[in-house]
Amino acid sequence: KALRLKKRLDALESVERLEARSAKLYETANLLQANRHVIKPYATEAELTDYEGNTLRIELESEGSVNRTIDRYFQRAKKAANKARNIHKEQESLGEKLDFLQRFIQVVEQAKSRHEVQMLFPKVPKAAKGEEQPPEHYEVFWVKGYRVLLGKNERGNAELLKLARAGDIWVHLKERPSCHVIIPTAKQEIPEEVLREAGRLCASFSAPAGSTYEVDYTPRRNVKIKSGANVEYKFYKSFQVSI
């Protein structure tokens, strides 16, 4: 998956190239529009002189409609211009997905036991299979039959904060940036082992390995959203995990 994402990211065109293509297409469309009266009906190409005196051969629509050709060039020019304006969003999205997968690979490589690997690739309970499409911005793990939701990026963290119910458990590293983790409770008491595994996942996907980190947790009702995934919280408890 990471290799495919890297290939897609590397294949994205630059803003400069897209803008240059858009400008060239607009120029061709305007040139055709200004010279439509000299283009013969049902011609398959037009030989025109551009504004700098260069001769251009422009392929026309097979149906022979000059107006259709002009419209097509304007559409392509607009599409290239829109892509140039929004290419940074696609780059950011692919980059975030690639960063998460590379982190996932690192967590697997650093696993110290079969148990840690099984936690990363758990068997999904039969009742949960096929219920919905996999979420794009957060990962779903299963620990002892409990769902543990982990934000892949800022958008995923914000989504989890909005999706969580008041009694669900929110998990975060103390006093440092980290992914947000939610454990849906269904009004049940969460076993300590599940809490600690959720904290380990939070640390593994957020901080360098080879150290011990303090993890805070509290019901979602005690977490106040300031903006996006930035929060402040109260009435929490803490424990330590080593990764």
Side-chain angles (χ1 to χ4, degrees), residues 193-212:
E193 183 181 1
V194 175
L195 276 172
R196 290 192 170 275
E197 295 289 19
R200 188 186 302 278
L201 283 169
C202 181
S204 296
F205 282 91
S206 305
S211 189
T212 298

Side-chain angles (χ1 to χ4, degrees), residues 2-21:
L3 289 172
R4 287 198 297 269
L5 278 177
K6 181 69 165 58
K7 188 174 181 180
R8 285 177 59 190
L9 188 59
D10 291 343
L12 291 179
E13 292 183 272
S14 67
V15 173
E16 294 76 16
R17 185 171 180 178
L18 288 165
E19 288 177 341
R21 185 197 303 166

Side-chain angles (χ1 to χ4, degrees), residues 39-90:
I39 300 174
K40 297 179 180 180
Y42 304 105
T44 57
E45 69 174 16
E47 187 173 300
L48 303 175
T49 303
D50 66 14
Y51 305 111
E52 296 178 355
N54 300 313
T55 300
L56 298 179
R57 291 182 180 273
I58 303 172
E59 187 176 347
L60 304 178
E61 292 284 335
S62 58
E63 291 83 356
S65 171
V66 177
N67 289 338
R68 184 173 298 173
T69 300
I70 293 171
D71 288 343
R72 180 65 61 85
Y73 272 99
F74 275 125
Q75 289 169 5
R76 289 169 58 195
K78 185 177 180 179
K79 183 177 180 180
N82 288 338
K83 191 170 184 179
R85 283 193 293 270
N86 295 304
I87 194 69
H88 68 281
K89 296 179 182 178
E90 189 171 0

Side-chain angles (χ1 to χ4, degrees), residues 2-237:
L3 289 172
R4 287 198 297 269
L5 278 177
K6 181 69 165 58
K7 188 174 181 180
R8 285 177 59 190
L9 188 59
D10 291 343
L12 291 179
E13 292 183 272
S14 67
V15 173
E16 294 76 16
R17 185 171 180 178
L18 288 165
E19 288 177 341
R21 185 197 303 166
S22 176
K24 184 64 177 177
L25 288 166
Y26 271 123
E27 180 183 341
T28 301
N30 287 320
L31 189 64
L32 284 169
Q33 199 165 44
N35 292 275
R36 71 172 70 196
H37 61 286
V38 301
I39 300 174
K40 297 179 180 180
Y42 304 105
T44 57
E45 69 174 16
E47 187 173 300
L48 303 175
T49 303
D50 66 14
Y51 305 111
E52 296 178 355
N54 300 313
T55 300
L56 298 179
R57 291 182 180 273
I58 303 172
E59 187 176 347
L60 304 178
E61 292 284 335
S62 58
E63 291 83 356
S65 171
V66 177
N67 289 338
R68 184 173 298 173
T69 300
I70 293 171
D71 288 343
R72 180 65 61 85
Y73 272 99
F74 275 125
Q75 289 169 5
R76 289 169 58 195
K78 185 177 180 179
K79 183 177 180 180
N82 288 338
K83 191 170 184 179
R85 283 193 293 270
N86 295 304
I87 194 69
H88 68 281
K89 296 179 182 178
E90 189 171 0
Q91 290 170 334
E92 182 179 344
S93 176
L94 290 174
E96 286 180 343
K97 292 175 182 177
L98 180 59
D99 287 345
F100 180 80
L101 283 174
Q102 289 173 335
R103 183 68 183 178
F104 203 125
I105 292 168
Q106 183 179 351
V107 172
V108 173
E109 290 174 340
Q110 293 171 344
K112 300 180 179 65
S113 67
R114 178 185 296 270
H115 170 70
E116 289 185 22
V117 177
Q118 287 174 335
M119 186 176 66
L120 296 168
F121 301 94
K123 293 181 179 180
V124 180
K126 291 182 179 180
K129 291 182 179 180
E131 288 184 354
E132 55 186 17
Q133 291 294 322
E136 181 179 0
H137 301 290
Y138 60 90
E139 191 76 16
V140 180
F141 297 100
W142 289 86
V143 180
K144 301 294 183 180
Y146 289 85
R147 281 196 307 159
V148 176
L149 315 178
L150 182 145
K152 295 180 179 180
N153 48 41
E154 186 175 358
R155 181 172 175 180
N157 291 334
E159 281 186 16
L160 289 180
L161 289 168
K162 292 180 179 179
L163 287 172
R165 297 175 181 269
D168 293 345
I169 300 300
W170 173 83
V171 181
H172 196 276
L173 294 189
K174 179 184 284 292
E175 297 178 352
R176 64 180 296 153
S178 85
C179 57
H180 292 242
V181 173
I182 295 291
I183 311 173
T185 64
K187 299 182 179 181
Q188 296 177 340
E189 190 74 20
I190 299 298
E192 183 178 352
E193 183 181 1
V194 175
L195 276 172
R196 290 192 170 275
E197 295 289 19
R200 188 186 302 278
L201 283 169
C202 181
S204 296
F205 282 91
S206 305
S211 189
T212 298
Y213 299 94
E214 196 156 2
V215 178
D216 292 340
Y217 69 97
T218 188
R220 170 64 180 84
R221 67 171 65 90
N222 297 329
V223 181
K224 181 181 179 181
I225 299 174
K226 296 172 66 177
S227 63
N230 295 318
V231 301
E232 51 188 33
Y233 55 99
K234 58 184 180 180
F235 307 133
Y236 60 90
K237 297 180 181 180

